[in-house]
Amino acid sequence: MSIWKRVGNLFAKPEPPIREKNVLGLAPGDICEVSLVTYEVVGRVHNRSRNAVVLTLQDGQDIAYFHIEERENIQYSLYKPIDGRLDNPNEVPSIVDLDDVAFHLEEEYDGNVLVTGKAPFMQGGEQHVWQYQSDDNQLLRIEWQNGRFMMYEGESVIPADVKIIRAS
């Protein structure tokens, strides 16, 4: 190695360390595995005030919604859209009976969201969310944005069942 190369290395900037991608940073085009099913991330809704993300996942024709929220630890929930109708966001009940299962309101919040890719609501803005849980740990999520409701039914996912296959 020449002396000039050694001197040049003394003043060269070190390469920045490669940051490991976590699930909160997944974006459209990434591939992840949830509960042994491989999905492509096709959309992302980010609520910065809660450090939460809802990813739109696609496996062939099937669409799922993966809710990730960082609190003391990262919590995961996987949802499927369901048919349902509500008329007014001021009249969302605290108990919802769905297929003989009673869901109790666990949390209600709102916040400004940023949307990337394909998502139930194609533009960002103010979003209201109601999260319910049944006695047998089934989950129900209701979202309202721009005068439109979406309803999802799902379940909690343990961290061991979540893997990043490819992140951009």
Side-chain angles (χ1 to χ4, degrees):
M1 184 182 272
S2 76
I3 186 120
W4 296 114
K5 189 161 190 156
R6 288 182 185 176
V7 170
N9 286 340
L10 289 173
F11 297 109
K13 291 182 182 178
E15 289 189 29
I18 298 173
R19 288 189 340 189
E20 186 176 317
K21 189 125 182 183
N22 69 2
V23 288
L24 280 170
L26 289 175
D30 294 341
I31 307 290
C32 65
E33 183 179 291
V34 180
S35 299
L36 301 176
V37 178
T38 302
Y39 293 100
E40 177 185 2
V41 177
V42 294
R44 172 185 165 93
V45 178
H46 183 206
N47 185 334
R48 285 186 295 186
S49 64
R50 291 186 59 92
N51 203 16
V53 173
V54 176
L55 300 175
T56 304
L57 304 178
Q58 187 169 5
D59 174 36
Q61 295 293 330
D62 295 330
I63 298 284
Y65 299 95
F66 191 42
H67 179 253
I68 306 160
E69 185 167 9
E70 186 174 23
R71 293 184 179 183
E72 306 84 44
N73 51 25
I74 298 179
Q75 298 176 350
Y76 305 101
S77 305
L78 186 64
Y79 293 95
K80 298 280 185 188
I82 58 173
D83 290 332
R85 180 172 171 200
L86 294 169
D87 295 322
N88 186 343
N90 296 322
E91 297 174 1
V92 174
S94 61
I95 297 175
V96 175
D97 288 318
L98 188 65
D99 297 331
D100 297 325
V101 177
F103 291 92
H104 301 274
L105 183 63
E106 188 175 70
E107 192 170 19
E108 175 185 353
Y109 60 90
D110 58 32
N112 218 357
V113 296
L114 301 172
V115 177
T116 308
K118 297 178 183 177
F121 303 100
M122 295 309 290
Q123 57 190 0
E126 187 75 18
Q127 183 181 64
H128 298 270
V129 177
W130 295 263
Q131 292 186 152
Y132 296 81
Q133 185 170 351
S134 70
D135 291 335
D136 58 350
N137 294 326
Q138 294 181 46
L139 302 175
L140 177 70
R141 179 178 173 93
I142 300 173
E143 297 174 347
W144 181 82
Q145 185 177 342
N146 297 331
R148 183 172 159 226
F149 279 99
M150 286 293 294
M151 296 178 75
Y152 313 91
E153 191 173 31
E155 59 188 16
S156 294
V157 176
I158 60 173
D161 283 349
V162 178
K163 295 178 186 160
I164 299 174
I165 305 296
R166 185 186 77 211
S168 53

